[in-house]
Amino acid sequence: MTMKTEKRYHGVVVPMVTPVTREGDIDVPAVERIVANMAEHGVSPLIMGTTGEGNSVSTRQGVMMIEAAKRVGGDRITVYAGLAGNCIEEQKLAARQFEAAGVDVIAATLPCYYALTPEQMYEYYKDMAEFLTVPLMLYNITITTHMSIPLDIIERLSHHLNIVGLKDSENNVPRLQEALKLFADREDFSYFCGCAANSAVALKHGADGIVPSVGNYLPKMYQDLYEAGVKGDEAKAEELQQLTIEIGKINTTGLTLGQSLAGLKVIMAEAGLCQPYMLPPLSMLDEETTNRIKEQAADVLKKYI
């Protein structure tokens, strides 16, 4: 078994839920609990990503989360923050505040009200990379933006000095394999697999990191999967992959993306990490679905937490 050489940006980066109070503001003690649990296992948070209801989080709230994560995580973890929206000026104003709050890396999704040409995608990221004072990570997520950043555009952007990696959440294994032919051996550019079900195959082909939402309450399981993958222990990585896929079905089967995020918070509440409240326009699940998730999650929480 050969150990993959770790790049500057690597490992398990969990797209963290955004814990809120019943009134809809950030539940700071819950942020601290979740981040402390991640940091204990060497796992970093991505704040305000898709799982974190990023488009519904205000800049003020984002600053609160970044400050809490930095306060608890310190130098043990890298704090990533998602940047989303359709107004570039507002994105840049938010980014400045996130930088001042101490964020380590900003991961930006494409503005997605309009369908963009590949060249417009390139110019957006180039402009943002030159504006930011912290490193920029490209964030490709077709399920929400309804666009896919072409690999040739990513390759061009990858040579910018302030663009350090790609989080690719497109569920497309041939694309993943093609991307890793380009980036696996690049010391200056990291590839993170954002589709958790493809974590093991991504690591087998040289991915630098994985971004699993179930890591919100099972960070150790994904850290174990990551370590097995980078060490070349394919059997253990695949065993853990199948286990995590089954566990992930608890809050996703039969639900929309938004409902699955509410289901994740139900499990987080059962684990004592945060409350199940959601930011509008998303909402809590109905009682029957909530009880089904609680029942199915009970054995998992008892066994693995």
Side-chain angles (χ1 to χ4, degrees):
M1 298 180 186
T2 57
M3 183 80 173
K4 177 178 169 64
T5 301
E6 289 184 340
K7 301 177 189 176
R8 169 67 181 85
Y9 299 101
H10 67 275
V12 182
V13 177
V14 172
M16 186 176 139
V17 301
T18 295
V20 294
T21 63
R22 185 187 295 273
E23 294 72 29
D25 210 349
I26 300 301
D27 184 345
V28 174
V31 174
E32 294 175 343
R33 280 195 299 276
I34 296 168
V35 173
N37 189 40
M38 291 182 187
E40 181 181 344
H41 300 289
V43 169
S44 295
L46 166 61
I47 295 166
M48 294 176 289
T50 303
T51 302
E53 305 166 74
N55 276 279
S56 303
V57 178
S58 70
T59 300
R60 176 187 65 83
Q61 293 172 323
V63 167
M64 291 173 66
M65 292 186 68
I66 291 167
E67 289 177 342
K70 292 296 291 185
R71 188 164 56 246
V72 172
D75 295 331
R76 294 180 292 167
I77 58 173
T78 300
V79 175
Y80 299 77
L83 188 66
N86 292 311
C87 175
I88 305 305
E89 181 181 358
E90 289 182 354
Q91 279 195 329
K92 289 180 175 180
L93 289 171
R96 278 289 180 262
Q97 293 188 53
F98 297 163
E99 289 170 336
V103 72
D104 297 305
V105 179
I106 285 179
T109 57
L110 288 171
C112 58
Y113 186 83
Y114 302 104
L116 303 180
T117 67
E119 197 61 29
Q120 287 169 334
M121 297 179 190
Y122 174 83
E123 291 296 333
Y124 165 72
Y125 281 118
K126 178 175 179 289
D127 175 60
M128 194 60 72
E130 291 172 357
F131 173 81
L132 295 174
T133 60
V134 299
L136 171 66
M137 183 163 286
L138 312 177
Y139 187 171
N140 183 59
I141 179 161
T142 54
I143 194 172
T144 58
T145 67
H146 309 290
M147 290 179 282
S148 175
I149 309 170
L151 289 182
D152 64 320
I153 295 297
I154 293 169
E155 201 283 330
R156 284 172 62 193
L157 289 164
S158 73
H159 297 284
H160 193 290
L161 292 178
N162 201 36
I163 295 177
V164 296
L166 166 70
K167 174 186 181 290
D168 201 336
S169 298
E170 187 169 337
N171 187 6
N172 182 334
V173 173
R175 172 188 164 94
L176 179 157
Q177 294 172 331
E178 191 63 30
L180 286 168
K181 288 178 184 177
L182 294 170
F183 306 126
D185 296 326
R186 283 271 304 277
E187 293 183 4
D188 60 337
F189 191 81
S190 297
Y191 180 96
F192 285 79
C193 177
C195 181
N198 295 334
S199 296
V201 69
L203 292 167
K204 177 181 177 179
H205 285 89
D208 300 290
I210 55 177
V211 191
S213 62
V214 173
N216 273 281
Y217 62 96
L218 294 178
K220 184 182 185 301
M221 185 176 291
Y222 277 99
Q223 182 64 18
D224 289 346
L225 193 164
Y226 169 76
E227 290 178 359
V230 297
K231 289 175 182 176
D233 189 345
E234 294 179 23
K236 182 176 181 181
E238 185 58 31
E239 177 186 350
L240 289 168
Q241 179 72 89
Q242 293 308 313
L243 177 59
T244 58
I245 287 173
E246 288 305 308
I247 291 171
K249 290 178 181 177
I250 295 173
N251 67 290
T252 59
T253 300
L255 301 178
T256 66
L257 175 59
Q259 289 174 318
S260 75
L261 302 183
L264 177 57
K265 281 192 180 176
V266 168
I267 301 173
M268 295 286 285
E270 291 299 290
L273 291 166
C274 73
Q275 295 301 309
Y277 306 119
M278 303 295 291
L279 289 167
L282 298 182
S283 57
M284 296 170 65
L285 298 171
D286 62 80
E287 185 176 1
E288 180 181 353
T289 306
T290 297
N291 288 337
R292 189 267 299 168
I293 290 174
K294 286 181 178 180
E295 183 178 337
Q296 292 182 350
D299 288 342
V300 170
L301 295 176
K302 184 183 298 183
K303 187 172 183 179
Y304 298 112
I305 290 186

